[in-house]
Amino acid sequence: HTGRGHLPYDEATRYSLPPRALVGLLAPGFYGRGPAGFWGPWERVEVGYAGVATLVLAAVGIAVGGQPLAVKGNKETEVREGKGAEEQGSRGAGEQVSEGFPVSFFSLLVAVALLLAMGRYTPLYGLLYRYAPTFDQVRVPARLILLADLGLAMLAAYGLDRLLRGEVGRCAVWVGLGALVAGGMLLAVGLPQARMVPPPDRVPQATMSIVIAAVLLGLSGLLVWLTRRHRWAAWLLLPLLAADLIGLGSTLEAEPHDPTLGFRHEDVVAFLRRDPNLFRIEGTAGAWQPDAALVHGLYDIGGVYNPLGLAPYQAYRWAVGERGAPLYNLLGVKYVLADKGRPPGNERLVPVYTANPEIDVYLNTAALPRALLVYRSQVVPDHTAAWEAIHAPEFDPTQTVILEQGQIGDWRAGVGEGGGHISFVRYGLNEVELAVRTPVSGYLLLSDVYYPGWRAEVDGVPTEVLRADYVFRAVLLPPGEHTVRMEFAPWTWRVGLAVSVVTWAGLGIWGIVALWRKYPSGLPGCQS
């Protein structure tokens, strides 16, 4: 039901991590920082800078991963593998035992996550897009680099632990020398590129990033190499790692502006709350944060800003025409928040609050109420036909409701004229209750989005929730006074609740049985 139900491959692989961007794992400033500083010829994506020292330590972790850990006694060091519990229990007080670490798992995680983050640039993502569930519903493969960062962090922690224990042997020498050589090669190859590839005004930052990366590689490699003979050198990796991550990583994608400013318009909120009726707003002002309505308990036609907006509603919303048009008014937009001094529409939008220095509030004089009684219906064959019907020039949502064939059997019930009355008794996130009086049969049209799982009752009797005007909810009412209640109670939620209850009950029983087996005579301290 959302736009993410299925994405074309080109859309699903937007913001893939290109191979050229991988230089950012060593030199995060090479292609600039933030949206304003980026100059690469692709859509800016997360590169996942985890620190140069982290990469070197992760290489140490991988290199020593296949080696058994040393067990240190009071006088000598020996390698022990596959010892039984009895031998372990007989070890001296000065011995230390390190549990096995899943080096292979985290190494595989780094490799797979890196390939997936590259998206369209490797065949792996294409195979998963075609055959694996959900891969055709997400975008921005580059974000999977965070999983690679997790693997690098774990491997680096393991490598550092082994260095501090002095349990790396010759591996430290080779990894250290490799890092030193890599630093030299980076200077030899990267500096010419830093002077040729970037735009002229970005050459200094690109050059500096290569130099810093080479220095960090050299220092990290030197300290790892020194740990072979001087274990204290491993402790110097800690301040180097901190300086690396804090100096280069902490401000990599940090937004310098205050993110709460768009929520701080208490005077505007206070004005809107003076209206006791149920209405929606549209926030078009740049100073108004899109999710501010949620924070302040208001209703915005944009809802919550997220990628899982319902596709039919999004299509409806972006095709309503100008502000004040019938489809726009059907959304119940009573107030429009616009930038200071910039009217958002024609004379149907009247300024009613202008005291805020950044935002003006306009009243939509043509707005329709959130619930309507409509006494004529037009039945169309399917959802596509409903779209065409609501966009017909003669369509008036106050006079006719568009219904889709196959929902109810008695189409003749919604005819006639009338002058009913509607009042909201309760309006919540998952439940709506209205008191309705209608002289003839008609349709109660609620300008809330239709979605499977909504149920309705009229005077306690279940009735069908109809999809009306392409995207909204409606119920058929006979003449008279009625209490109409709608509740969102999908069967999937009930199944999920049942699974959760059974799971928690099972865990509770398992815990009680485990305790009873461990302490058959009662918990320690509880015996009389």
Side-chain angles (χ1 to χ4, degrees):
H1 299 282
T2 76
R4 294 297 179 91
H6 174 76
L7 293 175
Y9 183 74
D10 289 342
E11 184 66 18
T13 55
R14 281 192 67 188
Y15 302 102
S16 296
L17 182 64
R20 284 183 293 175
L22 295 180
V23 68
L25 293 174
L26 289 172
F30 186 85
Y31 287 106
R33 289 173 175 255
F38 178 73
W39 58 267
W42 58 83
E43 293 178 301
R44 191 177 68 92
V45 295
E46 294 84 351
V47 181
Y49 180 75
V52 175
T54 302
L55 297 177
V56 176
L57 288 172
V60 173
I62 294 173
V64 303
Q67 295 184 347
L69 302 187
V71 180
K72 303 190 184 321
N74 293 327
K75 296 182 179 180
E76 62 180 355
T77 300
E78 60 180 357
V79 175
R80 303 184 180 183
E81 294 181 85
K83 304 299 183 182
E86 293 181 0
E87 182 176 349
Q88 292 183 15
S90 64
R91 288 173 179 154
E95 296 178 332
Q96 300 177 4
V97 180
S98 295
E99 296 280 343
F101 183 82
V103 173
S104 299
F105 170 78
F106 286 110
S107 300
L108 182 63
L109 177 65
V110 172
V112 172
L114 184 59
L115 289 175
L116 290 177
M118 295 175 72
R120 67 179 63 175
Y121 298 101
T122 68
L124 178 60
Y125 200 92
L127 291 173
L128 292 174
Y129 171 87
R130 186 172 182 179
Y131 298 110
T134 75
F135 269 81
D136 63 340
Q137 300 176 9
V138 295
R139 295 193 317 155
V140 196
R143 291 175 180 167
L144 292 170
I145 196 68
L146 294 175
L147 293 178
D149 287 344
L150 171 63
L152 288 172
M154 298 299 293
L155 292 170
Y158 176 65
L160 180 60
D161 180 67
R162 293 292 294 267
L163 286 174
L164 293 174
R165 292 174 181 269
E167 298 174 338
V168 291
R170 295 180 180 177
C171 291
V173 175
W174 291 111
V175 172
L177 289 176
L180 286 168
V181 172
M185 293 180 61
L186 184 63
L187 287 175
V189 177
L191 282 181
Q193 295 296 315
R195 297 188 180 102
M196 295 170 53
V197 176
D201 59 327
R202 306 300 175 89
V203 169
Q205 74 175 31
T207 302
M208 181 60 66
S209 68
I210 293 295
V211 172
I212 293 175
V215 170
L216 288 173
L217 268 176
L219 288 176
S220 301
L222 178 63
L223 292 177
V224 170
W225 178 74
L226 286 175
T227 57
R228 173 67 173 167
R229 296 184 178 276
H230 307 286
R231 194 181 303 179
W232 53 263
W235 291 99
L236 295 180
L237 283 164
L238 297 174
L240 177 63
L241 183 64
D244 182 359
L245 293 176
I246 295 173
L248 295 180
S250 63
T251 59
L252 183 57
E253 294 290 345
E255 173 58 53
H257 304 294
D258 185 351
T260 67
L261 294 179
F263 297 92
R264 298 179 185 174
H265 299 285
E266 288 79 5
D267 58 328
V268 173
V269 174
F271 171 80
L272 294 172
R273 285 178 174 168
R274 293 175 195 165
D275 191 329
N277 299 307
L278 191 63
F279 59 86
R280 290 192 178 98
I281 66 171
E282 182 189 9
T284 67
W288 179 264
Q289 218 279 344
D291 287 340
L294 177 68
V295 173
H296 297 295
L298 302 170
Y299 298 98
D300 191 308
I301 61 170
V304 179
Y305 186 77
N306 70 87
L308 295 181
L310 298 180
Y313 175 72
Q314 294 298 331
Y316 180 98
R317 179 190 170 195
W318 295 113
V320 294
E322 63 179 0
R323 295 184 179 92
L327 293 183
Y328 181 84
N329 296 332
L330 185 56
L331 289 171
V333 183
K334 190 173 183 178
Y335 298 101
V336 179
L337 279 58
D339 290 318
K340 194 70 178 178
R342 299 182 63 181
N346 56 26
E347 66 277 0
R348 287 175 289 191
L349 299 177
V350 180
V352 289
Y353 183 79
T354 59
N356 188 278
E358 299 177 287
I359 298 174
D360 288 335
V361 180
Y362 288 77
L363 172 67
N364 179 15
T365 57
L368 296 174
R370 295 279 296 273
L372 298 171
L373 279 168
V374 184
Y375 295 99
R376 290 189 177 90
S377 64
Q378 177 184 346
V379 183
V380 296
D382 50 36
H383 203 44
T384 301
W387 173 269
E388 296 172 353
I390 65 173
H391 289 92
E394 66 276 9
F395 174 66
D396 183 352
T398 66
Q399 300 298 315
T400 305
V401 61
I402 305 299
L403 302 174
E404 299 173 27
Q405 196 167 19
Q407 295 188 90
I408 61 175
D410 187 5
W411 301 108
R412 296 171 298 174
V415 296
E417 297 290 344
H421 175 76
I422 302 173
S423 62
F424 282 90
V425 178
R426 180 166 59 253
Y427 189 89
L429 296 177
N430 299 306
E431 184 181 13
V432 180
E433 186 174 337
L434 307 95
V436 184
R437 184 182 70 250
T438 175
V440 295
S441 62
Y443 294 95
L444 171 65
L445 174 64
L446 189 67
S447 62
D448 286 356
V449 179
Y450 174 90
Y451 190 81
W454 276 99
R455 302 180 179 184
E457 293 180 352
V458 177
D459 301 325
V461 179
T463 188
E464 185 176 6
V465 178
L466 307 174
R467 180 158 59 185
D469 292 348
Y470 186 75
V471 74
F472 300 122
R473 302 199 300 268
V475 294
L476 177 62
L477 298 178
E481 296 186 1
H482 307 284
T483 297
V484 180
R485 184 173 178 269
M486 294 187 186
E487 180 186 15
F488 184 64
W491 67 268
T492 51
W493 181 86
R494 298 177 186 274
V495 171
L497 178 62
V499 170
S500 297
V501 170
V502 171
T503 301
W504 282 109
L507 287 173
I509 294 172
W510 174 81
I512 293 172
V513 172
L515 286 174
W516 180 78
R517 288 179 176 177
K518 188 172 183 179
Y519 305 106
S521 301
L523 294 176
C526 296
Q527 296 90 345
S528 57

